[in-house]
Amino acid sequence: ISPPPEGEKAQGSAKPFHVQVGVYSKKANVEKTRGLIKKSGYSSFVVAVQQQGVPYTYFKVRVGSFSSREAAEKVAHELTRKTGEKAIVIED
C-alpha cells in the first residue's frame, strides 16, 4: 500500500490542526501579522478565501500543521503571548 499523494489525507484519518493568528481583508495587515509571527520564531502561511456574495478576498494567516489539538494549543498560547494577536486552533 502506497501513501496518499502529497497534500492528501488517507481515508478516515483526522484533519490536521492549524493555528490561525488573524483574518484580514487588507494585505498590509497580513504582512504586519506575518512579521510578528516571524519575530516569534515561527513561519506562517496565508490562505486566501473568496466568500460568495462578498466583493473582496479574506486572508487567513496560519501557522503549522499539527496532528494533535494539544500541540496546536501550546503554539497558539505562545503566539498570543508573543504577538499580542489572539491565536486560535482550527481543524481543517
Side-chain angles (χ1 to χ4, degrees), residues 7 12 15 20-21 27-29 37 41 55 63 71 73-74 77 88:
K15 293 179 180 181
Q20 186 165 289
V21 185
K27 286 271 195 173
N29 294 331
I37 292 167
V63 173
E73 290 282 357
K74 183 177 178 184
H77 291 305
I88 60 168

Side-chain angles (χ1 to χ4, degrees), residues 44-59:
S44 62
F45 62 98
V46 177
V47 178
V49 179
Q50 183 65 53
Q51 194 171 6
Q52 190 173 350
V54 178
Y56 49 88
T57 301
Y58 290 106
F59 301 99

